[in-house]
C-alpha cells in the first residue's frame, strides 16, 4: 500500500528558510493557488459545457436522421399506428420533451399522444416557421430547449418531417452539479493548503522561494496540462493522452478522475456513432453511412480519373415472407441473405467495396477499383451482380420451411451515368426497377432510355389513379359458350381503359402498372363488384340468363391480400348474385411459392359455392402439380395451344391430354382463343366443355351484351 504524500508533509520537509522569505513565499503560493483554482473552474466549466452540448447535438442529429428514415414508408402510406410506434420509442429516451411528425404543409400528423390531440393543427410555436422552411436537418435553441428537425422525403418528394425537442435543463443541472463538486474539491485542497501554509509560517519562512518553485511544479503545471487536454477533448480528439500521474494526493485524484471522464465520453461517443451508422439487424452500414461514404468518395475523385459503380439490389417478393411467415421469419431470412451477399462481395476481393442495407429488403454495394487496376468496372459489376443473383436464388431454411426468392439488381456507374450521390442512387433504383420489369432475379445497367420509360410509367400510374371514378375504366364481357350445343352459359369480365390522351390502352400494359403500383388493390374490388351487379341484373331481366355465370380475373397481389375473401363475400352480398354464378380466374404464377395458404383461401371460397378456374393452363412449368395441391373447378387451355391445334400435332396431342386428364378428375375444361370453325370442331370432338373466342363472340360493352341477351 502506497503512502499518500500530502502537501503538508512536503512543506514540513522544506522548513528552514528565513521568516521574511517564508512570508513572501506564502504570499506567492496563495496568489498562484487562487489563480490555479480559477483556471481549473473556468476551463473545466467551458469544457464540460462544450462536451455536453456537442454530445446532445450529435445525439439529436443521429436520432432525427434515423427516425426520419424509419418514418418514410409510414408517412407515405399514412400509417398512424406505425408512426405512433416510432414516435413512442423516441419519447421514451431521456431528455426528450416532445416528438412531432408533420406533413409538407406544416400540419401535425402525430405528436406521440394516444389520441393525437393536435392532429391536423398547424405548428405555431416559435421554431415552426424555420422548421417548415428548412430543406435539410435544422437545429434551433432558445437556451431551454434544443429543437432538431429533419425533413422526410421519398425520392425528390418531401412528405413532411419530424421534430425532436431536447430539454437543456437536465444538462445544465448536471453541469452545475459537476462544477459545484469540483469547486468543493478545490476548496478542500485550498483549506489543506492553508493549514500547510500556517505551519510553514513558523518553520519554513527561509525556504519560501523553494516552496514557491515546488508549488509551481507540483500544482500549477498538472492543472495546465489538464486544461490543455480538456481543450483537445472539447475539439473531439478523444485519443488525447492525459498526463499520467502516480501521485496519491488530491491533484493525482483529479488527474485520474479526468482520465476516467475522458474514457467515458469517448465510449459514449463510439456508441452513438455505431448506432447512427450501423444497421441494427444485419450489422451492415446503414443508409446514412452509405451516403456519407459515397459523398466522400465522389469528393475525392473530383477531377481524377477514378470510376465507381453502385449496385442497387432489392429482394424479389420479400413481402410474401413477412405476410406468410411473420416478421421474425422475415428478419431471419434477411440475416441469411446478408451473409450470402457479404460472402459474394468478399469473394471478388475489391478492397474498397462497401455493402450497406439501404432499408427494408434493399441493399447497396459500392464498388471502386484501385487506380492501378486495369479491369473494366462494368464487367466486374456485372459479374458480381450475376453472382449475387445465383446466391440469393438458392433456397433458404426459415422456421423449418424452404423459401425461394430472387434478387433484382440495378447498376449505375460514375461518372458515366451521374456525377452526384443523389443521382447515382436514383439511377440505381431506376435500373433495379427495370430488372424487376424484365422478370426479376436478374440485373440491368442504367441507361437514359430507362429514365424516359420510368417517366412514362409514372405518368400512366398517375392517370390510372381515379380512372374508375372518372368513367375511363369500364368492363367488356366476352361470351362463353357450351361446346356441345353452342349455348351461351356465361361471360368473362374484361377491364378496358379509354384514356382521353392515350386512347385505348392495352390491358397488359395498364394492368401491369396497376399491379406494380398497388392500384390493383383498389381497382380489383371495384371490378369484382361491378361484374357481380351486372350479371345479377341480366339474370333478373332475362329468363334465358337465369344460370348465366360471370368469370372475373384475380391478380396475384389480390390473392395475397388478407381481405380478399371478405371482398368476394361483400360483392356477392351487395349484388345478390349466387356464389355458384361467380367464377374466379387465377394464373399459375399467383399460386407458385405459396400453395398452402392460397389453397386454404380457395377452399374457403369454394365452400361458399364460388367456382375457381386456373387460367393459361399448360404454360406453367408445374401446371399439373398444382391440380394436386390447389383446389380448382376448371382449367382454361391457353390460347397458344388452341391457335396451333389444327396444324401442330404436338399441340393437338397436348390439348387432348389436358382434356382427358381434367375430365378424369372431374374438372371442367374451357378453351380460350377459339378464332376458327375448325378449332371449335376439333375441341368439341375432343370433349372440351366450354369455349370462348372471336369466332364465337367478341367482347362487348354491357349495353351491347344486354342487347344480345334481349
Amino acid at each position: 500500500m502506497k503512502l499518500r504524500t500530502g502537501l503538508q508533509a512536503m512543506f514540513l520537509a522544506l522548513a528552514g528558510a528565513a521568516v521574511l522569505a517564508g512570508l513572501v513565499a506564502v504570499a506567492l503560493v496563495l496568489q498562484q493557488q487562487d489563480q490555479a483554482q480559477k483556471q481549473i473552474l473556468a476551463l473545466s466549466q467551458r469544457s464540460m459545457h462544450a462536451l455536453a452540448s456537442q454530445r446532445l447535438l450529435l445525439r439529436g442529429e443521429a436520432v432525427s436522421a434515423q427516425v426520419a428514415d424509419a418514418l418514410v414508408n409510414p408517412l407515405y402510406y399514412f400509417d398512424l399506428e406505425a408512426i405512433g410506434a416510432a414516435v413512442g420509442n423516441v419519447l421514451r429516451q431521456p431528455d426528450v420533451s416532445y416528438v412531432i411528425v408533420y406533413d409538407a404543409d406544416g400540419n401535425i400528423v402525430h405528436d406521440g399522444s394516444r389520441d393525437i390531440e393536435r392532429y391536423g393543427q398547424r405548428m405555431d410555436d416559435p421554431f415552426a416557421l424555420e422548421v417548415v422552411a428548412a430543406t435539410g436537418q435544422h437545429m434551433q435553441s432558445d437556451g431551454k430547449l434544443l429543437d432538431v428537425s429533419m425533413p422526410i422525403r421519398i425520392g425528390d418528394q418531401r412528405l413532411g418531417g419530424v421534430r425532436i425537442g431536447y430539454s437543456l435543463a437536465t444538462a445544465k443541472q448536471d453541469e452545475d452539479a459537476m462544477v459545484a463538486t469540483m469547486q468543493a474539491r478545490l476548496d478542500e485542497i485550498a483549506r489543506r493548503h492553508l493549514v500547510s501554509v500556517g505551519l510553514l509560517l513558523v518553520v519554513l519562512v527561509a525556504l519560501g522561494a523553494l516552496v514557491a518553485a515546488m508549488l509551481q511544479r507540483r500544482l500549477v503545471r498538472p492543472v495546465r496540462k489538464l486544461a490543455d487536454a480538456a481543450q483537445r477533448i472539447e475539439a473531439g480528439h478523444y485519443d488525447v493522452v492525459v498526463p499520467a500521474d502516480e501521485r496519491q494526493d488530491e491533484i493525482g485524484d483529479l488527474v485520474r478522475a479526468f482520465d476516467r471522464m475522458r474514457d467515458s465520453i469517448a465510449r459514449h461517443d463510439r456508441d452513438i456513432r455505431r448506432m447512427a451508422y450501423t444497421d441494427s439487424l444485419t450489422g451492415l452500414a446503414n443508409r446514412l453511412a452509405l451516403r456519407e461514404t459515397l459523398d466522400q468518395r465522389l469528393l475525392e475523385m473530383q477531377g481524377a480519373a477514378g470510376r465507381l459503380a453502385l449496385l442497387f439490389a432489392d429482394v424479389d417478393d420479400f413481402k410474401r415472407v413477412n405476410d406468410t411467415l411473420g416478421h421474425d421469419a422475415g428478419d431471419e431470412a434477411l440475416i441469411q441473405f446478408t451473409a450470402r451477399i457479404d460472402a459474394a462481395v468478399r469473394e471478388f476481393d475489391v478492397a474498397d467495396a462497401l455493402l450497406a442495407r439501404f432499408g427494408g429488403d434493399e441493399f447497396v454495394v459500392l464498388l471502386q477499383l484501385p487506380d492501378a487496376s486495369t479491369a473494366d468496372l462494368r464487367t466486374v459489376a456485372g459479374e458480381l451482380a450475376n453472382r449475387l443473383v445465383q446466391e440469393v436464388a438458392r433456397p433458404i431454411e426459415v422456421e423449418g420451411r424452404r423459401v425461394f426468392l430472387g434478387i433484382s439488381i440495378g447498376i449505375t456507374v460514375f461518372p458515366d451515368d451521374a456525377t452526384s450521390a443523389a443521382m447515382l442512387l436514383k439511377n440505381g433504383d431506376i435500373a433495379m426497377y427495370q430488372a424487376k420489369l424484365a422478370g426479376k432475379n436478374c440485373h440491368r445497367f442504367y441507361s437514359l432510355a430507362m429514365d424516359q420509360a420510368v417517366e412514362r410509367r409514372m405518368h400512366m400510374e398517375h392517370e390510372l389513379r381515379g380512372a374508375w371514378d372518372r368513367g375511363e375504366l369500364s368492363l367488356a364481357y366476352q361470351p362463353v359458350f357450351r361446346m356441345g350445343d353452342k349455348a351461351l352459359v356465361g361471360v368473362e369480365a374484361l377491364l378496358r381503359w379509354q384514356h382521353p390522351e392515350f386512347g385505348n390502352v392495352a390491358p397488359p400494359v395498364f394492368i401491369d402498372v396497376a399491379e406494380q403500383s398497388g392500384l390493383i388493390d383498389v381497382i380489383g374490388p371495384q371490378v369484382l363488384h361491378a361484374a357481380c351487379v351486372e350479371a345479377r341484373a341480366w339474370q333478373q331481366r332475362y329468363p334465358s340468363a337465369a344460370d348465366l355465370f360471370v368469370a372475373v380475373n384475380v391478380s396475384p397481389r389480390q390473392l395475397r391480400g388478407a381481405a380478399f375473401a371478405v371482398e368476394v363475400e361483400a360483392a356477392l352480398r351487395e349484388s345478390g348474385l349466387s356464389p355458384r354464378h361467380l367464377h374466379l380466374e387465377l394464373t399459375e404464377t399467383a399460386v407458385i411459392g405459396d400453395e398452402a395458404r392460397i389453397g386454404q383461401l380457395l377452399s374457403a371460397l369454394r365452400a361458399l359455392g364460388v367456382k375457381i378456374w386456373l387460367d393459361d393452363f399448360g404454360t406453367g412449368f408445374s401446371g399439373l402439380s398444382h391440380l394436386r395441391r390447389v383446389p380448382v373447378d376448371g382449367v382454361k387451355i391457353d390460347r397458344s395451344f388452341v391457335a396451333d391445334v389444327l396444324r401442330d400435332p404436338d399441340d393437338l396431342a397436348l390439348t387432348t391430354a389436358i382434356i382427358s386428364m381434367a375430365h378424369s378428375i372431374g374438372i371442367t375444361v374451357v378453351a380460350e382463343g377459339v378464332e376458327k370453325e375448325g378449332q371449335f370442331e376439333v375441341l368439341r370432338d375432343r370433349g372440351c366443355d366450354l369455349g370462348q373466342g372471336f369466332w364465337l363472340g367478341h367482347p362487348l360493352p354491357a349495353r351491347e351484351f344486354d342487347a344480345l341477351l334481349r
Side-chain angles (χ1 to χ4, degrees):
M1 178 178 177
K2 293 184 178 180
L3 297 176
R4 290 177 60 88
T5 305
L7 294 177
Q8 181 178 2
M10 289 191 298
F11 291 160
L12 291 174
L14 297 174
V19 173
L20 183 59
L23 291 174
V24 172
V26 167
L28 292 175
V29 168
L30 292 177
Q31 181 183 7
Q32 291 181 354
Q33 176 181 310
D34 182 66
Q35 292 177 350
Q37 181 174 346
K38 291 178 180 179
Q39 289 179 356
I40 291 172
L41 288 176
L43 293 175
S44 299
Q45 186 170 10
R46 287 199 300 271
S47 299
M48 288 184 289
H49 179 75
L51 289 172
S53 299
Q54 184 181 23
R55 178 182 174 187
L56 189 58
L57 286 174
L58 289 174
R59 176 184 170 194
E61 290 175 356
V63 173
S64 64
Q66 282 186 321
V67 174
D69 286 343
L71 288 176
V72 171
N73 283 341
L75 188 56
Y76 181 77
Y77 291 107
F78 214 72
D79 188 352
L80 291 178
E81 183 177 351
I83 294 174
V87 168
N89 290 337
V90 179
L91 279 173
R92 286 190 290 271
Q93 295 183 12
D95 300 332
V96 175
S97 297
Y98 60 83
V99 180
I100 298 174
V101 180
Y102 57 92
D103 61 20
D105 295 325
N107 298 321
I108 295 175
V109 176
H110 211 296
D111 59 4
S113 63
R114 182 182 299 273
D115 299 324
I116 319 179
E117 297 173 355
R118 298 177 62 193
Y119 176 81
Q121 297 180 14
R122 187 164 186 84
M123 296 185 296
D124 56 359
D125 58 275
F127 297 148
L129 186 61
E130 291 189 24
V131 168
V132 175
T135 59
Q137 194 170 60
H138 189 64
M139 298 185 183
Q140 304 177 74
S141 176
D142 60 1
K144 296 180 180 180
L145 281 173
L146 173 65
D147 183 278
V148 184
S149 64
M150 184 71 179
I152 300 176
R153 301 178 183 275
I154 182 167
D156 294 332
Q157 178 186 358
R158 178 170 177 173
L159 302 178
V162 61
R163 295 175 56 190
I164 304 176
Y166 291 93
S167 173
L168 300 179
T170 303
K172 184 64 169 61
Q173 292 174 357
D174 294 341
E175 180 181 330
D176 292 340
M178 293 180 68
V179 170
T181 300
M182 184 169 288
Q183 177 71 62
R185 295 300 303 273
L186 290 175
D187 289 341
E188 180 183 352
I189 294 173
R191 286 193 297 271
R192 294 190 180 188
H193 287 177
L194 289 175
V195 173
S196 300
V197 167
L199 295 176
L200 286 175
L201 288 175
V202 179
V203 293
L204 299 180
V205 176
L207 300 177
L210 181 60
V211 169
M214 290 295 295
L215 287 176
Q216 174 69 23
R217 185 175 65 86
R218 298 285 292 174
L219 179 63
V220 178
R221 187 181 300 172
V223 171
R224 287 178 176 172
K225 289 182 179 180
L226 286 179
D228 293 339
Q231 289 177 346
R232 297 201 62 190
I233 294 174
E234 180 181 359
H237 301 290
Y238 300 112
D239 57 345
V240 62
V241 177
V242 179
D245 200 325
E246 297 298 327
R247 294 168 54 174
Q248 298 300 313
D249 59 8
E250 292 79 359
I251 299 300
D253 293 342
L254 181 61
V255 171
R256 288 185 288 275
F258 192 93
D259 193 43
R260 290 193 298 271
M261 181 181 69
R262 180 211 58 183
D263 292 341
S264 177
I265 294 173
R267 183 172 61 255
H268 288 303
D269 180 73
R270 287 193 300 270
D271 292 342
I272 291 173
R273 295 184 66 85
R274 183 174 62 252
M275 292 171 60
Y277 292 99
T278 305
D279 178 64
S280 59
L281 176 65
T282 62
L284 298 177
N286 61 9
R287 182 195 298 252
L288 178 62
L290 168 71
R291 185 58 187 267
E292 290 192 3
T293 302
L294 182 57
D295 287 337
Q296 180 63 30
R297 293 193 184 182
L298 293 181
L299 183 63
E300 294 172 353
M301 289 192 294
Q302 291 297 327
R307 301 181 75 216
L308 178 147
L310 187 146
L311 282 71
F312 200 104
D314 182 88
V315 180
D316 298 326
D317 301 320
F318 185 77
K319 184 176 183 295
R320 189 174 65 200
V321 177
N322 286 332
D323 291 344
T324 57
L325 301 180
H327 288 276
D328 290 342
D331 289 345
E332 181 183 343
L334 273 179
I335 292 173
Q336 294 190 42
F337 281 133
T338 298
R340 290 188 182 181
I341 294 172
D342 186 52
V345 172
R346 292 178 185 276
E347 280 185 15
F348 274 71
D349 195 23
V350 178
D352 292 329
L354 172 68
L355 173 61
R357 184 187 179 194
F358 199 69
D361 56 354
E362 295 177 330
F363 298 87
V364 173
V365 181
L366 198 59
L367 289 181
Q368 182 180 354
L369 297 180
D371 295 339
S373 175
T374 59
D376 181 69
L377 182 60
R378 286 183 174 268
T379 301
V380 174
E383 291 174 351
L384 176 57
N386 285 330
R387 180 56 186 235
L388 294 178
V389 169
Q390 295 172 3
E391 287 297 314
V392 175
R394 292 191 292 113
I396 61 174
E397 292 285 340
V398 179
E399 295 186 353
R401 295 183 59 177
R402 300 189 79 190
V403 176
F404 294 84
L405 293 173
I407 192 169
S408 298
I409 304 173
I411 306 175
T412 183
V413 177
F414 169 88
D416 300 353
D417 301 331
T419 57
S420 68
M423 288 302 298
L424 279 171
L425 291 170
K426 173 179 173 289
N427 294 345
D429 191 31
I430 290 173
M432 181 272 293
Y433 183 69
Q434 293 299 316
K436 286 189 177 294
L437 292 180
K440 302 180 180 180
N441 204 33
C442 62
H443 75 273
R444 289 292 183 271
F445 282 90
Y446 169 80
S447 68
L448 184 60
M450 289 182 178
D451 260 338
Q452 299 168 349
V454 168
E455 288 181 6
R456 289 194 300 269
R457 191 175 186 90
M458 290 180 63
H459 182 50
M460 181 171 291
E461 178 184 334
H462 179 268
E463 292 298 310
L464 190 56
R465 295 182 186 275
W468 183 275
D469 297 329
R470 295 192 301 269
E472 297 173 10
L473 290 173
S474 62
L475 293 180
Y477 298 91
Q478 184 169 32
V480 179
F481 295 90
R482 191 163 48 234
M483 300 291 279
D485 55 4
K486 294 181 67 175
L488 178 65
V489 294
V491 293
E492 180 180 2
L494 303 173
L495 187 61
R496 297 290 185 260
W497 186 14
Q498 178 65 36
H499 188 269
E501 177 186 348
F502 303 144
N504 287 317
V505 184
V509 175
F510 73 81
I511 289 177
D512 180 62
V513 172
E515 290 218 18
Q516 292 290 338
S517 64
L519 288 175
I520 197 68
D521 294 335
V522 177
I523 298 174
Q526 293 172 329
V527 170
L528 179 64
H529 182 270
C532 291
V533 169
E534 199 71 57
R536 180 55 183 162
W538 287 328
Q539 291 177 349
Q540 292 175 329
R541 287 199 296 267
Y542 307 108
S544 60
D547 286 329
L548 189 76
F549 69 78
V550 61
V552 180
N553 291 281
V554 179
S555 75
R557 189 183 181 104
Q558 285 179 273
L559 273 180
R560 296 189 181 107
F564 179 67
V566 176
E567 292 168 356
V568 173
E569 293 178 9
L572 292 172
R573 181 177 62 256
E574 294 169 7
S575 65
L577 184 69
S578 172
R580 66 188 181 88
H581 292 139
L582 175 61
H583 294 185
L584 299 178
E585 297 187 12
L586 55 143
T587 61
E588 292 181 72
T589 56
V591 178
I592 292 176
D594 199 11
E595 289 92 340
R597 191 187 69 84
I598 292 179
Q600 294 177 355
L601 172 63
L602 298 182
S603 296
L605 291 174
R606 293 183 73 208
L608 292 176
V610 177
K611 304 296 183 183
I612 307 298
W613 287 1
L614 198 60
D615 199 6
D616 300 333
F617 189 76
T619 59
F621 66 89
S622 57
L624 295 177
S625 66
H626 292 150
L627 298 181
R628 296 186 294 106
R629 296 192 295 270
V630 179
V632 297
D633 299 285
V635 295
K636 295 186 74 172
I637 302 175
D638 186 69
R639 62 179 64 249
S640 62
F641 292 104
V642 176
D644 294 331
V645 74
L646 295 178
R647 61 176 181 270
D648 191 332
D650 292 337
D651 282 353
L652 178 59
L654 285 171
T655 302
T656 304
I658 290 173
I659 295 172
S660 299
M661 178 273 300
H663 285 168
S664 68
I665 57 177
I667 293 178
T668 302
V669 180
V670 186
E672 57 181 349
V674 180
E675 299 180 356
K676 298 178 182 178
E677 182 178 4
Q679 295 170 344
F680 173 82
E681 293 174 350
V682 168
L683 292 168
R684 180 193 60 195
D685 294 342
R686 283 348 183 244
C688 184
D689 302 297
L690 306 176
Q692 63 184 91
F694 290 167
W695 186 78
L696 292 168
H698 286 261
L700 300 172
R703 289 186 178 180
E704 295 182 23
F705 194 80
D706 192 277
L708 176 65
L709 291 174
R710 185 167 57 249

